């Protein structure tokens, strides 16, 4: 593994805290929505990505406060607790494309030389990344790590549409389907269906199974998704 110089900084973009890890001579820009738990794991995630690829990258993680509204594409009834889901995904995608990416360019962290813009996330952020890959070709690849593809209406949406991203990483823990929640218990069938749909559409995709439930090794699992995309789009 070659030695790379990394710079870490925090900045504010359009009222959102953004956490940036920059390696020199980056060939890929990784974008990730995060919550407080993810923030605690970002250093571990970056180190794990570095252990899986020798390519330099920039990771730009931005904070999401209302997870159940800002990352979901259309309203849906509550699945856990009493708070229903919203339809804020379009606004979040708009923030990435029209606020975050231009801000990174102004900071000279992203330029025309970085042709691989990759979007990834965990859980509902994984669903958001998957959905965004259907909306725009800005992201060459998306990493949907333990994505919430049990979300009401998602399989119908995926069946009726084709992604614009050229590579899609999917993963799931092998115990995630073992839950008493009837909606979330569909996750294994839903992720298999998602993989089948992408494969049939000729998308460069993989479905990777991890040991454990939804809450295990989240940083390493996310790192594996980004590293796979980097290998597919920028070489080893």
């Amino acid at each position: 593994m070659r030695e790379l110089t990394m710079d870490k900084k925090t900045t504010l973009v359009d009222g959102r805290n953004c956490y940036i890890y920059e390696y020199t001579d980056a060939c890929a820009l990784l974008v990730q929505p995060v919550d407080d738990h993810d923030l605690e794991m970002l250093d571990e995630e970056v180190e794990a990505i570095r252990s899986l690829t020798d390519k330099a990258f920039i990771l730009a993680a931005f904070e999401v406060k209302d997870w159940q509204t800002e990352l979901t594409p259309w309203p849906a009834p509550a699945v856990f607790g009493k708070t229903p889901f919203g339809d804020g995904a379009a606004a979040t995608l708009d923030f990435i494309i029209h606020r975050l990416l231009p801000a990174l360019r102004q900071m000279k962290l992203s330029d025309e030389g970085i042709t691989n813009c990759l979007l990834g996330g965990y859980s509902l952020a994984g669903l958001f990344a998957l959905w965004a890959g259907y909306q725009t070709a800005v992201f060459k690849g998306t990493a949907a790590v333990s994505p919430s593809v049990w979300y009401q209406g998602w399989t119908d949406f995926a069946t009726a549409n084709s992604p614009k991203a050229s590579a899609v990483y999917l993963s799931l823990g092998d115990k995630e389907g073992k839950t008493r929640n009837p909606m979330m218990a569909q996750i294994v069938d839903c992720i298999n269906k998602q993989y089948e749909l992408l494969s049939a559409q000729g998308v460069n995709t993989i479905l990777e199974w991890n040991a454990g439930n939804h809450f295990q090794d989240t940083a390493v699992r996310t790192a594996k998704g980004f590293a796979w995309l980097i290998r597919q789009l920028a070489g080893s």
Side-chain angles (χ1 to χ4, degrees), residues 9 22 58 102-111 114:
K9 64 187 70 176
E22 177 194 8
I58 296 169
L104 294 175
R105 285 192 290 270
Q106 286 184 356
M107 296 166 65
K108 301 190 183 302
L109 294 178
S110 175
D111 55 34
I114 300 180

Side-chain angles (χ1 to χ4, degrees), residues 4-20:
L4 296 174
T5 301
M6 192 268 283
D7 183 36
K8 179 180 175 182
K9 64 187 70 176
T10 302
T11 189
L12 199 65
V13 177
D14 203 29
R16 291 180 187 262
N17 289 321
C18 298
Y19 307 87
I20 300 167

Side-chain angles (χ1 to χ4, degrees), residues 115-227:
T115 58
N116 295 302
C117 185
L118 312 175
L119 177 65
Y122 198 91
S123 194
L124 277 176
L127 179 74
F128 169 77
L130 191 56
W131 171 84
Y134 284 85
Q135 307 303 310
T136 176
V138 166
F139 311 108
K140 284 196 171 181
T142 57
V145 186
S146 288
S148 306
V149 287
W150 46 258
Y151 195 77
Q152 187 178 76
W154 176 259
T155 298
D156 290 340
F157 171 84
T159 301
N161 293 276
S162 299
K164 298 178 180 179
S166 60
V168 178
Y169 174 91
L170 303 170
S171 73
L172 200 69
D174 59 11
K175 295 182 180 178
E176 292 197 47
K178 298 177 181 179
T179 172
R180 295 179 181 179
N181 187 303
M183 190 74 176
M184 299 175 73
Q186 303 175 65
I187 185 64
V188 173
D189 288 341
C190 292
I191 199 76
N192 282 325
K193 179 64 174 179
Q194 180 70 57
Y195 175 69
E196 290 169 5
L197 288 169
L198 294 174
S199 298
Q201 291 167 335
V203 177
N204 181 10
T205 188
I206 186 175
L207 171 54
E208 186 167 11
W209 291 91
N210 298 293
N213 62 29
H214 186 68
F215 303 100
Q216 290 181 237
D217 304 321
T218 60
V220 173
R221 291 184 189 184
T222 305
K224 288 165 68 176
F226 276 131

Side-chain angles (χ1 to χ4, degrees), residues 21 34-45 219:
Y21 297 74
V34 294
D35 64 4
D36 290 341
H37 174 73
D38 296 321
L39 286 176
E40 296 174 359
M41 304 288 186
L42 273 182
D43 286 355
E44 179 185 353
E45 179 184 324

Side-chain angles (χ1 to χ4, degrees), residues 27-118:
C27 69
L29 171 64
L30 319 180
V31 178
Q32 180 181 353
V34 294
D35 64 4
D36 290 341
H37 174 73
D38 296 321
L39 286 176
E40 296 174 359
M41 304 288 186
L42 273 182
D43 286 355
E44 179 185 353
E45 179 184 324
V46 169
E47 286 301 314
I49 297 171
R50 279 285 298 123
S51 73
L52 294 167
T53 175
D54 65 357
K55 297 294 184 180
F57 58 89
I58 296 169
L59 172 65
F62 65 93
E63 208 164 9
V64 173
K65 291 296 187 182
D66 189 348
W67 203 251
Q68 290 182 221
T69 297
E70 296 180 60
L71 297 175
T72 45
W74 50 78
V79 171
F80 33 83
K82 297 181 179 179
T83 304
F85 298 98
D87 59 353
T92 302
L93 180 58
D94 184 79
F95 162 78
I96 296 172
I97 294 174
H98 298 294
R99 299 290 187 272
L100 180 60
L101 296 183
L104 294 175
R105 285 192 290 270
Q106 286 184 356
M107 296 166 65
K108 301 190 183 302
L109 294 178
S110 175
D111 55 34
E112 296 303 320
I114 300 180
T115 58
N116 295 302
C117 185
L118 312 175

